[in-house]
PDB file of all heavy atoms in Angstrom:
ATOM      1  N   VAL N  18    -115.880   2.993 101.099  1.00 52.00           N
ATOM      2  CA  VAL N  18    -114.609   2.181 100.884  1.00 52.00           C
ATOM      3  C   VAL N  18    -115.073   0.892 100.190  1.00 52.00           C
ATOM      4  O   VAL N  18    -116.109   0.512 100.304  1.00 52.00           O
ATOM      5  CB  VAL N  18    -113.917   1.843 102.202  1.00 52.00           C
ATOM      6  CG1 VAL N  18    -113.504   3.172 102.907  1.00 52.00           C
ATOM      7  CG2 VAL N  18    -114.778   1.048 103.240  1.00 52.00           C
ATOM      8  N   LEU N  22    -118.873  -1.302  99.581  1.00 93.00           N
ATOM      9  CA  LEU N  22    -119.668  -0.945  98.395  1.00 93.00           C
ATOM     10  C   LEU N  22    -120.571  -2.093  98.043  1.00 93.00           C
ATOM     11  O   LEU N  22    -121.769  -1.900  97.607  1.00 93.00           O
ATOM     12  CB  LEU N  22    -118.759  -0.487  97.239  1.00 93.00           C
ATOM     13  CG  LEU N  22    -118.460   0.991  97.189  1.00 93.00           C
ATOM     14  CD1 LEU N  22    -117.267   1.294  96.178  1.00 93.00           C
ATOM     15  CD2 LEU N  22    -119.678   1.774  96.934  1.00 93.00           C
ATOM     16  N   THR N  34    -135.764  -3.957  93.977  1.00 98.00           N
ATOM     17  CA  THR N  34    -136.464  -5.321  93.785  1.00 98.00           C
ATOM     18  C   THR N  34    -137.812  -5.297  94.463  1.00 98.00           C
ATOM     19  O   THR N  34    -138.845  -5.800  93.886  1.00 98.00           O
ATOM     20  CB  THR N  34    -135.601  -6.430  94.240  1.00 98.00           C
ATOM     21  OG1 THR N  34    -134.424  -6.465  93.451  1.00 98.00           O
ATOM     22  CG2 THR N  34    -136.337  -7.708  94.210  1.00 98.00           C
ATOM     23  N   GLU N  35    -137.904  -4.783  95.708  1.00 98.00           N
ATOM     24  CA  GLU N  35    -139.203  -4.717  96.335  1.00 98.00           C
ATOM     25  C   GLU N  35    -140.220  -3.986  95.572  1.00 98.00           C
ATOM     26  O   GLU N  35    -141.391  -4.286  95.525  1.00 98.00           O
ATOM     27  CB  GLU N  35    -139.014  -4.020  97.747  1.00 98.00           C
ATOM     28  CG  GLU N  35    -138.333  -4.892  98.757  1.00 98.00           C
ATOM     29  CD  GLU N  35    -137.978  -4.139 100.050  1.00 98.00           C
ATOM     30  OE1 GLU N  35    -138.394  -2.878 100.111  1.00 98.00           O
ATOM     31  OE2 GLU N  35    -137.276  -4.628 100.949  1.00 98.00           O
ATOM     32  N   THR N  49    -144.095   7.728  85.204  1.00 96.00           N
ATOM     33  CA  THR N  49    -143.216   7.921  86.344  1.00 96.00           C
ATOM     34  C   THR N  49    -142.750   9.403  86.337  1.00 96.00           C
ATOM     35  O   THR N  49    -142.946  10.122  85.341  1.00 96.00           O
ATOM     36  CB  THR N  49    -141.999   6.932  86.239  1.00 96.00           C
ATOM     37  OG1 THR N  49    -141.155   7.439  85.164  1.00 96.00           O
ATOM     38  CG2 THR N  49    -142.438   5.559  85.921  1.00 96.00           C
ATOM     39  N   ASN N  61    -136.897  -1.269  82.712  1.00 97.00           N
ATOM     40  CA  ASN N  61    -136.137  -1.796  81.608  1.00 97.00           C
ATOM     41  C   ASN N  61    -134.696  -1.066  81.720  1.00 97.00           C
ATOM     42  O   ASN N  61    -133.678  -1.699  81.499  1.00 97.00           O
ATOM     43  CB  ASN N  61    -136.715  -1.464  80.205  1.00 97.00           C
ATOM     44  CG  ASN N  61    -135.944  -2.018  79.064  1.00 97.00           C
ATOM     45  OD1 ASN N  61    -136.004  -3.185  78.948  1.00 97.00           O
ATOM     46  ND2 ASN N  61    -135.248  -1.145  78.342  1.00 97.00           N
ATOM     47  N   THR N  64    -132.737  -2.528  84.542  1.00 97.00           N
ATOM     48  CA  THR N  64    -132.417  -3.875  84.210  1.00 97.00           C
ATOM     49  C   THR N  64    -131.252  -3.900  83.300  1.00 97.00           C
ATOM     50  O   THR N  64    -130.252  -4.665  83.512  1.00 97.00           O
ATOM     51  CB  THR N  64    -133.592  -4.634  83.579  1.00 97.00           C
ATOM     52  OG1 THR N  64    -134.744  -4.611  84.528  1.00 97.00           O
ATOM     53  CG2 THR N  64    -133.230  -6.118  83.287  1.00 97.00           C
ATOM     54  N   GLN N  67    -128.059  -3.196  85.142  1.00 97.00           N
ATOM     55  CA  GLN N  67    -127.465  -4.373  85.876  1.00 97.00           C
ATOM     56  C   GLN N  67    -126.938  -5.407  84.937  1.00 97.00           C
ATOM     57  O   GLN N  67    -125.851  -5.899  85.172  1.00 97.00           O
ATOM     58  CB  GLN N  67    -128.591  -4.933  86.732  1.00 97.00           C
ATOM     59  CG  GLN N  67    -129.287  -3.989  87.746  1.00 97.00           C
ATOM     60  CD  GLN N  67    -128.347  -3.126  88.425  1.00 97.00           C
ATOM     61  OE1 GLN N  67    -127.313  -3.560  89.069  1.00 97.00           O
ATOM     62  NE2 GLN N  67    -128.583  -1.864  88.410  1.00 97.00           N
ATOM     63  N   VAL N  83    -119.374  -5.346  73.893  1.00 83.00           N
ATOM     64  CA  VAL N  83    -120.732  -5.840  74.131  1.00 83.00           C
ATOM     65  C   VAL N  83    -121.631  -5.260  73.054  1.00 83.00           C
ATOM     66  O   VAL N  83    -122.647  -5.933  72.700  1.00 83.00           O
ATOM     67  CB  VAL N  83    -121.214  -5.435  75.524  1.00 83.00           C
ATOM     68  CG1 VAL N  83    -122.556  -5.836  75.875  1.00 83.00           C
ATOM     69  CG2 VAL N  83    -120.188  -5.985  76.588  1.00 83.00           C
ATOM     70  N   VAL N  91    -135.193  -5.192  77.108  1.00 96.00           N
ATOM     71  CA  VAL N  91    -134.550  -6.391  77.560  1.00 96.00           C
ATOM     72  C   VAL N  91    -135.457  -7.200  78.505  1.00 96.00           C
ATOM     73  O   VAL N  91    -135.082  -8.253  78.977  1.00 96.00           O
ATOM     74  CB  VAL N  91    -133.228  -6.050  78.313  1.00 96.00           C
ATOM     75  CG1 VAL N  91    -132.277  -5.365  77.376  1.00 96.00           C
ATOM     76  CG2 VAL N  91    -133.444  -5.190  79.578  1.00 96.00           C
ATOM     77  N   GLN N 102    -133.094 -11.788  87.682  1.00 98.00           N
ATOM     78  CA  GLN N 102    -131.905 -12.477  87.115  1.00 98.00           C
ATOM     79  C   GLN N 102    -130.839 -11.387  86.938  1.00 98.00           C
ATOM     80  O   GLN N 102    -129.675 -11.684  87.221  1.00 98.00           O
ATOM     81  CB  GLN N 102    -132.258 -13.073  85.826  1.00 98.00           C
ATOM     82  CG  GLN N 102    -131.167 -14.035  85.197  1.00 98.00           C
ATOM     83  CD  GLN N 102    -131.579 -14.682  84.020  1.00 98.00           C
ATOM     84  OE1 GLN N 102    -132.691 -14.543  83.513  1.00 98.00           O
ATOM     85  NE2 GLN N 102    -130.679 -15.626  83.539  1.00 98.00           N
ATOM     86  N   ALA N 103    -131.207 -10.293  86.397  1.00 98.00           N
ATOM     87  CA  ALA N 103    -130.129  -9.213  86.154  1.00 98.00           C
ATOM     88  C   ALA N 103    -129.556  -8.694  87.370  1.00 98.00           C
ATOM     89  O   ALA N 103    -128.329  -8.477  87.541  1.00 98.00           O
ATOM     90  CB  ALA N 103    -130.775  -8.006  85.226  1.00 98.00           C
ATOM     91  N   ALA N 107    -125.540  -8.942  88.739  1.00 97.00           N
ATOM     92  CA  ALA N 107    -124.829  -7.682  89.062  1.00 97.00           C
ATOM     93  C   ALA N 107    -124.352  -7.770  90.510  1.00 97.00           C
ATOM     94  O   ALA N 107    -123.122  -7.417  90.727  1.00 97.00           O
ATOM     95  CB  ALA N 107    -125.746  -6.440  88.801  1.00 97.00           C
ATOM     96  N   ALA N 109    -123.769 -10.481  92.305  1.00 97.00           N
ATOM     97  CA  ALA N 109    -122.576 -11.432  92.343  1.00 97.00           C
ATOM     98  C   ALA N 109    -121.316 -10.882  91.742  1.00 97.00           C
ATOM     99  O   ALA N 109    -120.170 -11.138  92.330  1.00 97.00           O
ATOM    100  CB  ALA N 109    -123.029 -12.707  91.657  1.00 97.00           C
ATOM    101  N   PHE N 111    -120.214  -7.751  91.476  1.00 96.00           N
ATOM    102  CA  PHE N 111    -119.580  -6.661  92.342  1.00 96.00           C
ATOM    103  C   PHE N 111    -119.009  -7.310  93.594  1.00 96.00           C
ATOM    104  O   PHE N 111    -118.099  -6.767  94.244  1.00 96.00           O
ATOM    105  CB  PHE N 111    -120.610  -5.633  92.654  1.00 96.00           C
ATOM    106  CG  PHE N 111    -120.550  -4.514  91.641  1.00 96.00           C
ATOM    107  CD1 PHE N 111    -121.813  -4.019  91.163  1.00 96.00           C
ATOM    108  CD2 PHE N 111    -119.463  -3.832  91.204  1.00 96.00           C
ATOM    109  CE1 PHE N 111    -121.945  -2.990  90.243  1.00 96.00           C
ATOM    110  CE2 PHE N 111    -119.483  -2.856  90.244  1.00 96.00           C
ATOM    111  CZ  PHE N 111    -120.784  -2.453  89.767  1.00 96.00           C
ATOM    112  N   ASP N 118    -111.320  -3.811  92.745  1.00 95.00           N
ATOM    113  CA  ASP N 118    -109.873  -3.276  92.443  1.00 95.00           C
ATOM    114  C   ASP N 118    -109.665  -3.171  90.840  1.00 95.00           C
ATOM    115  O   ASP N 118    -108.647  -2.591  90.552  1.00 95.00           O
ATOM    116  CB  ASP N 118    -108.899  -4.359  92.932  1.00 95.00           C
ATOM    117  CG  ASP N 118    -108.859  -4.674  94.519  1.00 95.00           C
ATOM    118  OD1 ASP N 118    -109.282  -3.687  95.156  1.00 95.00           O
ATOM    119  OD2 ASP N 118    -108.678  -5.656  94.801  1.00 95.00           O
ATOM    120  N   ARG N 119    -110.743  -3.492  90.191  1.00 94.00           N
ATOM    121  CA  ARG N 119    -110.549  -3.360  88.731  1.00 94.00           C
ATOM    122  C   ARG N 119    -110.931  -1.946  88.258  1.00 94.00           C
ATOM    123  O   ARG N 119    -111.424  -1.195  88.930  1.00 94.00           O
ATOM    124  CB  ARG N 119    -111.492  -4.441  88.065  1.00 94.00           C
ATOM    125  CG  ARG N 119    -111.118  -5.798  88.540  1.00 94.00           C
ATOM    126  CD  ARG N 119    -112.204  -6.801  87.935  1.00 94.00           C
ATOM    127  NE  ARG N 119    -111.822  -8.082  88.585  1.00 94.00           N
ATOM    128  CZ  ARG N 119    -112.827  -9.062  88.819  1.00 94.00           C
ATOM    129  NH1 ARG N 119    -113.989  -8.940  88.438  1.00 94.00           N
ATOM    130  NH2 ARG N 119    -112.453 -10.163  89.328  1.00 94.00           N
ATOM    131  N   GLN N 127    -111.989   5.030  80.950  1.00 91.00           N
ATOM    132  CA  GLN N 127    -111.637   4.044  82.067  1.00 91.00           C
ATOM    133  C   GLN N 127    -112.050   4.581  83.400  1.00 91.00           C
ATOM    134  O   GLN N 127    -111.675   5.755  83.705  1.00 91.00           O
ATOM    135  CB  GLN N 127    -110.192   3.803  81.992  1.00 91.00           C
ATOM    136  CG  GLN N 127    -109.710   3.145  80.603  1.00 91.00           C
ATOM    137  CD  GLN N 127    -110.220   1.762  80.424  1.00 91.00           C
ATOM    138  OE1 GLN N 127    -111.174   1.567  79.677  1.00 91.00           O
ATOM    139  NE2 GLN N 127    -109.652   0.840  81.039  1.00 91.00           N
ATOM    140  N   CYS N 134    -119.536   1.316  90.777  1.00 96.00           N
ATOM    141  CA  CYS N 134    -120.492   0.723  91.705  1.00 96.00           C
ATOM    142  C   CYS N 134    -121.264   1.875  92.439  1.00 96.00           C
ATOM    143  O   CYS N 134    -122.459   1.685  92.666  1.00 96.00           O
ATOM    144  CB  CYS N 134    -119.747  -0.205  92.669  1.00 96.00           C
ATOM    145  SG  CYS N 134    -120.866  -1.139  93.731  1.00 96.00           S
ATOM    146  N   ARG N 157    -140.632   6.401 100.963  1.00 96.00           N
ATOM    147  CA  ARG N 157    -139.609   6.616 101.896  1.00 96.00           C
ATOM    148  C   ARG N 157    -138.419   5.798 101.436  1.00 96.00           C
ATOM    149  O   ARG N 157    -138.564   4.507 101.238  1.00 96.00           O
ATOM    150  CB  ARG N 157    -140.105   6.342 103.357  1.00 96.00           C
ATOM    151  CG  ARG N 157    -141.076   7.348 103.882  1.00 96.00           C
ATOM    152  CD  ARG N 157    -141.476   6.958 105.186  1.00 96.00           C
ATOM    153  NE  ARG N 157    -142.300   5.690 105.059  1.00 96.00           N
ATOM    154  CZ  ARG N 157    -142.875   4.984 106.034  1.00 96.00           C
ATOM    155  NH1 ARG N 157    -142.531   5.250 107.214  1.00 96.00           N
ATOM    156  NH2 ARG N 157    -143.435   3.890 105.741  1.00 96.00           N
ATOM    157  N   PRO N 159    -134.571   4.297 102.497  1.00 97.00           N
ATOM    158  CA  PRO N 159    -133.736   3.933 103.736  1.00 97.00           C
ATOM    159  C   PRO N 159    -132.655   5.053 103.868  1.00 97.00           C
ATOM    160  O   PRO N 159    -131.960   5.457 102.940  1.00 97.00           O
ATOM    161  CB  PRO N 159    -132.980   2.657 103.410  1.00 97.00           C
ATOM    162  CG  PRO N 159    -133.962   2.005 102.331  1.00 97.00           C
ATOM    163  CD  PRO N 159    -134.555   3.135 101.517  1.00 97.00           C
ATOM    164  N   PRO N 161    -129.560   5.153 105.266  1.00 96.00           N
ATOM    165  CA  PRO N 161    -128.259   4.879 104.858  1.00 96.00           C
ATOM    166  C   PRO N 161    -127.991   5.048 103.335  1.00 96.00           C
ATOM    167  O   PRO N 161    -127.015   5.523 102.825  1.00 96.00           O
ATOM    168  CB  PRO N 161    -127.971   3.503 105.286  1.00 96.00           C
ATOM    169  CG  PRO N 161    -128.893   3.261 106.401  1.00 96.00           C
ATOM    170  CD  PRO N 161    -130.146   4.020 106.015  1.00 96.00           C
ATOM    171  N   PHE N 183    -129.576  12.952  85.063  1.00 64.00           N
ATOM    172  CA  PHE N 183    -130.801  13.358  85.896  1.00 64.00           C
ATOM    173  C   PHE N 183    -131.231  14.666  85.372  1.00 64.00           C
ATOM    174  O   PHE N 183    -130.529  15.456  84.661  1.00 64.00           O
ATOM    175  CB  PHE N 183    -130.434  13.455  87.429  1.00 64.00           C
ATOM    176  CG  PHE N 183    -130.073  12.109  88.080  1.00 64.00           C
ATOM    177  CD1 PHE N 183    -128.820  11.915  88.506  1.00 64.00           C
ATOM    178  CD2 PHE N 183    -131.050  11.139  88.157  1.00 64.00           C
ATOM    179  CE1 PHE N 183    -128.462  10.767  89.097  1.00 64.00           C
ATOM    180  CE2 PHE N 183    -130.695   9.960  88.814  1.00 64.00           C
ATOM    181  CZ  PHE N 183    -129.504   9.703  89.251  1.00 64.00           C
ATOM    182  N   PRO N 190    -136.834  23.104  99.458  1.00 75.00           N
ATOM    183  CA  PRO N 190    -137.544  23.808 100.480  1.00 75.00           C
ATOM    184  C   PRO N 190    -136.785  24.012 101.843  1.00 75.00           C
ATOM    185  O   PRO N 190    -135.792  23.223 102.111  1.00 75.00           O
ATOM    186  CB  PRO N 190    -138.736  22.922 100.790  1.00 75.00           C
ATOM    187  CG  PRO N 190    -138.783  21.994  99.650  1.00 75.00           C
ATOM    188  CD  PRO N 190    -137.487  21.786  99.058  1.00 75.00           C
TER     189      PRO N 190
END
Side-chain angles (χ1 to χ4, degrees):
V18 299
L22 274 171
T34 297
E35 288 173 5
T49 72
N61 186 72
T64 302
Q67 304 314 310
V83 178
V91 298
Q102 185 175 9
F111 274 132
D118 297 329
R119 300 174 189 151
Q127 298 295 101
C134 187
R157 288 173 297 172
F183 295 113

